[in-house]
Amino acid sequence: MFWQSVDAFLTRIRPHRQGLSLAIDGVLVALGWQFTYLFRLGFERWLSARPSYDHGVLVGVAACYLVVFRLLDVPKGMWRFSGFGEIKRLLLGCLIAGSVSAVVVLMAQLREVPRAVLMLHPVMVLFGVCGVRILYRTVYEHMRMQVSGRSTETRRALVLGAGDAARRLLAGIQHEGWVVVGLLDDDPAKHDARVAGVPVLGPMALLPEQAQTQGATHVIVAVPSAPMAVRRRIIDLAAGTGLTVLTVPGARELQDGQRVPLRDIQPEDLLGRDPVTLDEGGIAEVLNDKVVLVTGAGGSIGSELCRQIARYGPRHIVLFELSEYALYAIEQELSEKWPHVPLVRLIGDVKDPDRLREVFARWRPQIVFHAAAYKHVPLMEEENALAALRNNTIGTHCAARAAAEHGVGRFVLVSTDKAVNPTNVMGATKRAAELAISALATQFPATSFMAVRFGNVLGSSGSVIPKFKEQIAKGGPVTVTHPDVIRYFMTISEAARLVLQAAAIGRSGQVLVLDMGEAVKIVDMARDLIRLAGHTEEEIGIEFTGLRPGEKLYEELLADSDSTIPTPVAGLRVARMEVDADLPGRIAAWLRENENPPDRSDHAVKQRLRVLVPEFTSS
């Protein structure tokens, strides 16, 4: 308790460190002057033999030392880190100040000041200022050992939140070199209480004041159960301190008895909305002990689907992926985290119907999640339109038809909000894919075909977040297409769970959409990432480059003509698309025309897409 009180006292005076350092050094200069006289004249004469103007000389000498120390930034030195570099700075300061003082005294012809005092005084001062710093460092390291079990400097944290997550957090990090100096919580009942021996200092509004008073180096947000809007407000408050901000995972990721880990603030923490709660029991019933095939298994969405599926105990997960490296990476991860889930690792192209029929005939999957797609809007808009059509539309039809022919129970297409009133090739090919599986739904009633639409996925390949982070790391500028562009966002985990939920509750021919809350301005997301990286907009600028070909200012989740109905899962709705009776015939003819078209130009591809998707408009 004594050493904790000492630590608290040192923390309180830390904001005044430079002034205190100068004051102590001034006292040591005066004491050095007295000891020098004592050493030179002895006890009998060290007071009586001084000249009458000695006090004035001492004030001038002390002022000289303090000015020189100030010019050499001696007060900025942190005593708990004092080492050889600090001693060299003090040695230089004493030599300069001692020499200047001696020269001034001699030039003033103050002959009664002993020359030996002028020569020895800098040595005495050097011993004093070095000694007090070494003593402070010794005491400080002993105090650190008593308080935290480590003699080295620790990270000092203020924790926002004083609930169960904070209690479990304290149980772990205080043995890992952290010193938690206090907690802040808006619940008045918790004020002046203690959590694991750490005081609750008051409401969160006191954070700026307490961060300075307590000498905090980090702020930890420990409110995993709070609504997302509240978490966003707390993160904004923490970011305003200029300190490093860490957080604990969300309530869903934490398990009872589990040690609470720390992580950096992620973009998903800034969404400001609560994730949709899904029907875990229904998903488990659909996936448990089933053979599940995932196309594009190594991609951003496909790999997260595999991770989520593995949690429900499938009989096999068939990983179907064109990229050798992506397949290897997801296979290694799944094998390490879920070693008891059997994996089938297959290289294959969804545009190869023979390979698909071979795979379906051998492994007999009961559920297929189709995540293989090209999704980068500008990349598909120019020079790659035919590749997008073949992969996103024809590839979907090949995979869906092979699934139906081999008795697959459920086929789930991962679609996009860009399929609604598309203005780009990627969105148009995805809308065409939705129509293709709608047509198959009328031809193969034994298989349930469904699609899932969602907005932009945070952190997925090709998304803005990795690009922004890379630009910030390089010093900027961060490029945003337009100051008014808005997007709907969700996390990769949430997107994957939505797809799994579609498999559980969806019916053939349906498109499921998520209530994604408020759209987010891309420029606001960029500003948040700059701030969380510890920079300002003055340091990392934002540059507007203009909308790219095919890009909208805003995205839609439902077309105007779509009708929606609620589902048992809050936040999910179903859009049943209008399907013409002649759609299967039109789709079949359209697919034959586009398998090997005579005109492969982007313009021709867009023209053919408009035949099937008349609402498609492009620049």
Side-chain angles (χ1 to χ4, degrees):
M1 196 67 177
F2 169 76
W3 290 110
Q4 289 177 337
S5 300
V6 172
D7 184 39
F9 171 73
L10 293 177
T11 298
R12 283 194 297 272
I13 66 174
R14 186 168 287 142
H16 313 290
R17 174 172 53 84
Q18 293 190 33
L20 287 171
S21 176
L22 273 178
I24 292 171
D25 287 342
V27 171
L28 291 172
V29 170
L31 289 175
W33 188 259
Q34 307 304 328
F35 277 108
T36 306
Y37 264 103
L38 182 63
F39 179 79
R40 173 66 180 82
L41 303 175
F43 281 103
E44 295 80 6
R45 302 176 58 238
W46 78 290
L47 287 175
S48 60
R50 297 188 187 195
S52 59
Y53 50 78
D54 185 71
H55 293 300
V57 174
L58 174 57
V59 171
V61 169
C64 180
Y65 272 86
L66 296 184
V67 169
V68 171
F69 282 6
R70 185 77 177 185
L71 293 174
L72 294 177
D73 290 332
V74 169
K76 294 183 178 180
M78 302 183 75
W79 289 15
R80 63 186 184 274
F81 298 132
S82 295
F84 187 65
E86 182 72 4
I87 291 175
K88 286 196 298 183
R89 186 181 294 111
L90 291 169
L91 173 61
L92 179 62
C94 290
L95 286 174
I96 294 174
S99 300
V100 171
S101 300
V103 169
V104 171
V105 169
L106 292 174
M107 289 179 65
Q109 297 186 356
L110 302 175
R111 303 180 187 281
E112 294 183 51
V113 177
R115 303 299 182 263
V117 170
L118 296 177
M119 293 178 58
L120 292 175
H121 180 244
V123 179
M124 289 292 187
V125 174
L126 181 63
F127 283 149
V129 293
C130 290
V132 74
R133 284 162 171 78
I134 293 171
L135 177 63
Y136 180 90
R137 176 169 179 173
T138 302
V139 172
Y140 188 88
E141 291 181 354
H142 180 73
M143 179 191 68
R144 290 266 59 82
M145 180 67 74
Q146 298 301 315
V147 172
S148 63
R150 297 164 60 102
S151 62
T152 55
E153 175 65 8
T154 56
R155 295 161 290 182
R156 301 173 62 84
L158 271 168
V159 176
L160 301 185
D164 182 62
R167 177 183 58 79
R168 290 159 59 190
L169 174 71
L170 293 176
I173 68 172
Q174 294 193 92
H175 303 291
E176 298 177 353
W178 288 87
V179 170
V180 179
V181 295
L183 300 97
L184 298 172
D185 197 289
D186 288 336
D187 183 358
K190 296 177 181 176
H191 297 171
D192 299 321
R194 285 183 172 268
V195 178
V198 179
V200 181
L201 302 173
M204 295 185 188
L206 296 178
L207 176 60
E209 173 189 335
Q210 290 292 340
Q212 182 177 16
T213 302
Q214 302 294 335
T217 60
H218 293 72
V219 178
I220 300 175
V221 178
V223 286
S225 300
M228 283 299 300
V230 175
R231 281 174 56 86
R232 171 60 192 260
R233 176 181 62 80
I234 293 172
I235 290 171
D236 285 343
L237 177 65
T241 64
L243 302 177
T244 302
V245 182
L246 302 173
T247 187
V248 301
R252 190 175 65 84
E253 289 85 1
L254 295 178
Q255 301 175 1
D256 292 338
Q258 178 191 39
R259 176 187 168 276
V260 178
L262 287 175
R263 63 170 173 80
D264 294 330
I265 299 292
Q266 299 296 330
E268 52 263 35
D269 296 312
L270 306 175
L271 282 178
R273 65 177 180 81
D274 297 312
V276 174
T277 302
L278 303 182
D279 177 17
E280 297 284 351
I283 296 174
E285 184 178 347
V286 169
L287 297 177
N288 183 252
D289 199 34
K290 300 294 196 304
V291 178
V292 184
L293 185 145
V294 180
T295 68
S300 302
I301 300 298
S303 60
E304 182 62 25
L305 275 171
C306 294
R307 297 182 194 101
Q308 299 283 351
I309 292 166
R311 296 171 50 232
Y312 294 99
R315 189 185 311 163
H316 288 91
I317 301 179
V318 182
L319 310 173
F320 193 82
E321 172 61 55
L322 182 60
S323 166
E324 178 189 30
Y325 175 75
L327 179 62
Y328 169 79
I330 186 60
E331 182 266 341
Q332 289 292 301
E333 181 182 346
L334 295 176
S335 297
E336 179 180 349
K337 294 182 178 178
W338 293 276
H340 302 300
V341 175
L343 304 176
V344 180
R345 306 155 299 171
L346 302 175
I347 296 287
D349 189 341
V350 293
K351 302 184 295 294
D352 183 349
D354 293 334
R355 174 62 167 158
L356 287 167
R357 292 190 184 97
E358 172 193 332
V359 169
F360 279 94
R362 179 174 180 185
W363 296 105
R364 293 289 174 181
Q366 293 146 292
I367 306 167
V368 174
F369 294 97
H370 182 61
Y374 294 145
K375 60 182 182 178
H376 195 277
V377 171
L379 201 60
M380 295 302 107
E381 196 67 18
E382 299 176 351
E383 307 299 337
N384 294 303
L386 182 60
L389 186 152
R390 282 181 165 174
N391 196 67
N392 293 357
T393 306
I394 296 177
T396 296
H397 184 265
C398 289
R401 188 173 186 89
E405 291 173 348
H406 291 86
V408 171
R410 298 170 186 265
F411 183 94
V412 184
L413 166 66
V414 176
S415 191
T416 172
D417 55 359
K418 294 172 179 61
V420 183
N421 297 323
T423 60
N424 50 66
V425 168
M426 195 280 279
T429 57
K430 278 296 199 178
R431 178 57 181 148
E434 292 178 355
L435 294 171
I437 67 169
S438 295
L440 289 172
T442 64
Q443 296 175 274
F444 297 91
T447 299
S448 295
F449 292 94
M450 60 208 73
V452 188
R453 281 182 189 162
F454 44 74
N456 294 267
V457 178
L458 289 170
S460 64
S461 60
S463 73
V464 296
I465 303 302
K467 177 184 175 183
F468 285 171
K469 287 184 174 180
E470 182 180 348
Q471 289 174 333
I472 291 169
K474 291 179 178 178
V478 174
T479 56
V480 179
T481 57
H482 193 283
D484 296 325
V485 69
I486 61 173
R487 293 290 182 267
Y488 294 97
F489 281 100
M490 67 166 59
T491 67
I492 291 180
S493 174
E494 191 176 6
R497 295 175 71 235
L498 172 63
V499 176
L500 299 186
Q501 185 68 81
I505 68 171
R507 296 182 180 178
S508 195
Q510 290 181 337
V511 173
L512 282 86
V513 295
L514 173 66
D515 178 6
M516 300 190 68
E518 296 295 325
V520 177
K521 268 193 170 186
I522 298 297
V523 67
D524 290 341
M525 182 70 74
R527 291 188 178 115
D528 287 333
L529 290 174
I530 291 171
R531 186 163 50 97
L532 289 171
H535 301 288
T536 64
E537 268 192 74
E538 288 70 31
E539 297 170 332
I540 305 289
I542 295 178
E543 181 180 302
F544 297 104
T545 58
L547 290 175
R548 296 170 296 183
E551 195 171 37
K552 295 181 180 180
L553 274 178
Y554 62 92
E555 301 291 359
E556 307 157 273
L557 292 177
L558 290 172
D560 296 336
S561 60
D562 295 334
S563 59
T564 64
I565 56 175
T567 71
V569 178
L572 277 174
R573 298 186 70 83
V574 171
R576 190 172 186 88
M577 304 298 169
E578 297 293 335
V579 179
D580 299 334
D582 63 343
L583 179 62
R586 288 196 298 115
I587 287 285
W590 186 86
L591 289 171
R592 285 194 298 271
E593 178 186 354
N594 284 279
E595 281 180 357
N596 192 20
D599 189 345
R600 305 161 68 90
S601 68
D602 288 343
H603 176 73
V605 170
K606 292 175 182 179
Q607 289 294 101
R608 290 195 295 272
L609 277 169
R610 289 191 190 95
V611 171
L612 190 63
V613 187
E615 66 270 28
F616 171 39
T617 59
S618 66
S619 55

